[in-house]
Structure formats: structure tokens, C-alpha cells
Amino acid sequence: MAGKISQVYATALFELASESDKLSVFYEELLALKSVFSQNPDFIKLLSAPTMSDAQKYDMLSKAFEGKVEKDIYNFLRLLCDNGRIDSFIAIAEDFAQMYNEHMNILEVTAITSIPMSQGLKQKLIAKLEQVSSKKITLIEKVDKSIMGGIVLSYNNTRIDSSVATKVEKMKSQINSIIA
């Protein structure tokens, strides 16, 4: 149910952003707010608390965001508080980002490596992914020493795992099936 709610609000906000020609502005501000709310989950809990009056919630929102974010985004936060949906903000921001990426022909790819990639390697990977996907690539880098080497790429619901750890695990399985 929460997914549906977030999609409804994200779609309405996306339409408003499109109509007012502020898609990029909304996208950037929603990402920034998502980061703020993710790092401060107690803030959303406080804004969701039934014991707080609307005036108290508006005062908190005003002190934190009024004049610092696009007026429509600020009003959207107030609307979410009014409707008791502020706790869905992160999901709404994620749904909006997905709509934005589709609209702008952007594919968000997460690359996991055992050590940070060099700038040259990142550029080659982005160029190859853009060539294969025919989309603009936004690369999110993560480092995970447990993969030992290689790379794991994730996008949409696809995962390409060419890590050393996975290859070792497959070899181990094959050896065990031969021995067993």
C-alpha cells in the first residue's frame, strides 16, 4: 500500500514540476531532502507524531526549510504533514527520481568494487554502459572488500556479478559436486 501512496504523490509532484518547467530543480531538492530525512529519521517521526499540533509541525518545517527550498517543495512537505503522509517522503522522493530518470533517459547503475575505481576506469565503464544501454549513465560507486576483486553491476532489477568472490564460490560448488 505504501508503494501506491508514494507513486500517487510522486506522480502529482512530477506533473507539477513538468508544468512549471522545474523538473531538474525539484529532482535536486528532493534528493537533498531525502538525504536530510534519511540522516535524521527522528525528524520524520516527530513530524508524524499525532501528539504534535499542525501549528507545531508547520513551525518545524518553516524553521528547517522555508526559504531554503523551492516554494512548491515546501508546500508539498506541508501537504504531506496535513495528510499524515510525511513518513512516505523518502519513498515519494525515490519514485520521483525514478520518473525523472525515465523522462531524462538516465539509467542509474551501482558499481561495487573491492577498491575505488580510478577516474579513467569510471569513464570507460560509463562510456561502455552508455553505448550498450543507449541511455545516459549515472554511476553510483560502492566499495566492498568482501568481493575480493572484479565488479558487480546493479541497475533496475538486473545484477551482473563478475566478482572474484562469486567465481570462487562457483568453483567451490563445482568441486563439491564432483567430490560428493
Side-chain angles (χ1 to χ4, degrees):
M1 185 70 162
K4 251 187 173 185
I5 291 167
S6 66
Q7 289 172 351
V8 169
Y9 280 96
T11 300
L13 192 60
F14 189 84
E15 289 173 3
L16 175 64
S18 295
E19 290 170 7
S20 57
D21 199 27
K22 295 180 181 177
L23 268 177
S24 294
V25 172
F26 278 34
Y27 173 76
E28 294 298 327
E29 290 194 1
L30 287 173
L31 285 183
L33 287 170
K34 178 185 167 204
S35 177
V36 168
F37 287 140
S38 294
Q39 292 171 12
N40 303 289
D42 290 340
F43 188 58
I44 285 189
K45 286 180 187 172
L46 200 54
L47 290 172
S48 302
T51 55
M52 289 200 47
S53 70
D54 287 344
Q56 290 172 312
K57 291 176 186 179
Y58 294 157
D59 187 50
M60 286 177 55
L61 283 174
S62 176
K63 287 177 181 171
F65 302 116
E66 192 170 24
K68 298 173 185 140
V69 297
E70 177 72 32
K71 186 176 180 186
D72 289 327
I73 297 291
Y74 173 73
N75 288 335
F76 182 72
L77 292 172
R78 286 184 59 141
L79 174 74
L80 291 177
C81 282
D82 288 344
N83 294 343
R85 300 290 187 202
I86 193 71
D87 59 336
S88 297
F89 178 82
I90 291 173
I92 293 167
E94 289 170 352
D95 287 346
F96 185 96
Q98 187 175 9
M99 288 180 220
Y100 177 84
N101 287 342
E102 286 173 20
H103 180 77
M104 301 300 283
N105 200 33
I106 296 170
L107 179 62
E108 196 170 273
V109 177
T110 300
I112 304 170
T113 55
S114 61
I115 59 172
M117 287 188 279
S118 69
Q119 196 61 33
L121 184 58
K122 277 190 266 189
Q123 294 308 318
K124 285 180 184 177
L125 178 60
I126 290 170
K128 185 64 175 176
L129 291 170
E130 286 178 345
Q131 177 188 359
V132 170
S133 69
S134 300
K135 294 183 182 278
K136 182 176 180 342
I137 300 296
T138 298
L139 190 65
I140 300 167
E141 284 186 87
K142 294 185 179 178
V143 175
D144 181 357
K145 293 182 188 311
S146 72
I147 70 167
M148 296 189 262
I151 191 167
V152 178
L153 297 175
S154 300
Y155 57 94
N156 296 338
N157 292 325
T158 303
R159 183 176 169 99
I160 301 169
D161 188 342
S162 64
S163 66
V164 172
T166 298
K167 290 177 182 176
V168 168
E169 194 58 41
K170 285 179 184 176
M171 286 174 41
K172 184 178 167 186
S173 275
Q174 288 173 340
I175 292 169
N176 285 339
S177 69
I178 292 170
I179 295 173

